[in-house]
Amino acid sequence: MRIVYVNGQYLPENEAKISIFDRSFLFADGVYEVTSVLDGKLIDFMGHMKRLERSLSELKFAFKPDIDQLLEIHRELVKRNDITEGLVYLQVSRGSAGDRNFLINKDTPASLVLFTQRNSLIQSTLADRGQKIVTRPDIRWRRSDIKTVQLLYASLLKTEAYAEGADDVWMVLDGFVTEGSSNNAYIVTHDDTIVTRHLSTDILHGITRQSVIRCAAELGLTVEERPFTVAEAQNAKEAFSTSASSFVCPVVEIDGTKIGTGTPGPIAKRLRQIYIDANRATAL
Ligand code: PMP
């Protein structure tokens, strides 16, 4: 059975408990991170921890994470669950004040939960065949830069996309693509420029995004951080998405229109490989 971590204890998953008054349960008052594991090691752990600190500080959590301790917990869970390839999920919530109350009490201790998932990340049928995307309006709250557990809209959209035979959704705000349901969105123009929306409160500041932009620059590719429309994406040479769990994943269709040749593009495929090689080499 899987061993999980809850507030200082390593427990079998069926013995782990959180209060029904926990603010993540009642108010979605929690933030999270997902770190990939390759070869039993953590990919870009420090990137994820920096973003965790930012999410907590934007939401004015009193809790200050001890990054060395979090690294130890991540490693211990990877070891105890014998994960060579998969994910570590971490969630910090503003805890339970023993009742339901809209007012936040800063003295309530935070809850910390971590668990692992065993997944095949390198071998991916989706990356091999490329994703079919449908677009939907981005009606999320306007702080999509904070990685909160408030994921209902993304979850509904992804489920709807599957029901329609698509793989995922790109969200559109004021005519421009923001990001995918759980990934950042990119296109490659006909002169091989990579375009992805600039950082703001409208998108999550992807840890994979940061690394892939660096990889692209090392390949001598130009990266433009600016908004793009669905029409520009449909006319692009290539498209792809990035996230910690899917790395770089090609997109072959948007709202029924084939992108380029309708097969995973060479730049997306190359970036996927380079991203994996570079991050494997620096994994903790
Ligand atoms: N955007 C959203 C909305 C996400 O949920 C995610 C995945 N957590 C990303 C982008 C990609 O971020 P990362 O590369 O850090 O996984």
Side-chain angles (χ1 to χ4, degrees):
M1 188 179 298
R2 177 163 49 174
I3 301 295
V4 304
Y5 177 93
V6 183
N7 289 329
Q9 287 186 294
Y10 293 93
L11 295 167
E13 62 184 50
N14 60 350
E15 288 174 29
K17 289 192 177 64
I18 279 281
S19 164
I20 62 159
F21 300 114
D22 194 274
R23 287 186 56 88
S24 59
F25 183 58
L26 298 176
F27 295 102
D29 189 358
V31 299
Y32 74 107
E33 282 297 330
V34 177
T35 306
S36 305
V37 177
L38 288 179
D39 318 312
K41 290 184 176 172
L42 301 157
I43 300 295
D44 210 341
F45 176 78
M46 285 316 293
H48 288 283
M49 292 306 106
K50 283 205 188 92
R51 185 173 59 191
L52 173 67
E53 289 178 325
R54 180 177 183 279
S55 295
L56 291 168
S57 109
E58 290 297 304
L59 293 176
K60 303 190 167 39
F61 269 61
F63 176 75
K64 300 274 176 280
D66 175 340
I67 305 303
D68 291 338
Q69 185 203 13
L70 290 182
L71 176 58
E72 199 182 301
I73 300 168
H74 275 73
R75 284 177 161 163
E76 187 64 24
L77 282 180
V78 166
K79 196 167 100 193
R80 289 198 191 205
N81 293 289
D82 193 23
I83 306 289
T84 49
E85 199 167 319
L87 311 167
V88 182
Y89 177 92
L90 169 157
Q91 179 169 327
V92 181
S93 85
R94 213 174 320 237
S96 160
D99 209 344
R100 180 172 181 269
N101 189 344
F102 277 73
L103 277 179
I104 292 167
N105 178 348
K106 66 173 176 34
D107 298 326
T108 305
S111 301
L112 177 62
V113 170
L114 288 94
F115 58 83
T116 54
Q117 278 183 335
R118 196 183 300 275
N119 268 355
S120 165
L121 304 178
I122 303 271
Q123 288 307 326
S124 155
T125 331
L126 196 57
D128 289 345
R129 71 165 165 81
Q131 313 172 75
K132 288 184 185 175
I133 300 294
V134 288
T135 64
R136 287 290 184 275
D138 191 338
I139 61 161
R140 297 175 300 171
W141 80 322
R142 297 268 55 86
R143 288 307 305 272
S144 302
D145 57 314
I146 308 174
K147 200 166 169 61
T148 74
V149 297
Q150 188 196 327
L151 294 170
L152 179 58
Y153 187 56
S155 168
L156 290 172
L157 285 187
K158 185 137 188 170
T159 306
E160 229 176 78
Y162 266 57
E164 284 176 29
D167 302 298
D168 205 354
V169 175
W170 280 10
M171 291 176 282
V172 180
L173 183 67
D174 298 332
F176 294 95
V177 173
T178 51
E179 59 186 333
S181 65
S182 59
N183 43 67
N184 290 113
Y186 307 72
I187 56 172
V188 181
T189 66
H190 289 276
D191 64 0
D192 289 347
T193 298
I194 295 171
V195 182
T196 191
R197 196 179 174 105
H198 57 287
L199 296 182
S200 71
T201 49
D202 291 332
I203 62 167
L204 190 75
H205 302 186
I207 301 308
T208 320
R209 177 188 183 279
Q210 185 180 305
S211 175
V212 164
I213 287 178
R214 224 179 297 127
C215 293
E218 278 162 24
L219 280 180
L221 294 164
T222 306
V223 180
E224 276 180 22
E225 296 182 58
R226 61 158 174 90
F228 58 87
T229 63
V230 174
E232 189 179 4
Q234 288 174 315
N235 290 313
K237 194 171 171 188
E238 292 186 33
F240 61 91
S241 65
T242 67
S243 75
S245 54
S246 68
F247 308 141
V248 176
C249 193
V251 166
V252 295
E253 196 181 298
I254 300 175
D255 286 341
T257 301
K258 283 195 169 25
I259 309 305
T261 59
T263 56
I267 291 183
K269 286 204 278 194
R270 192 134 167 250
L271 279 174
R272 179 179 173 86
Q273 196 53 52
I274 287 169
Y275 170 83
I276 291 171
D277 293 346
N279 283 281
R280 241 185 174 152
T282 54
L284 285 181

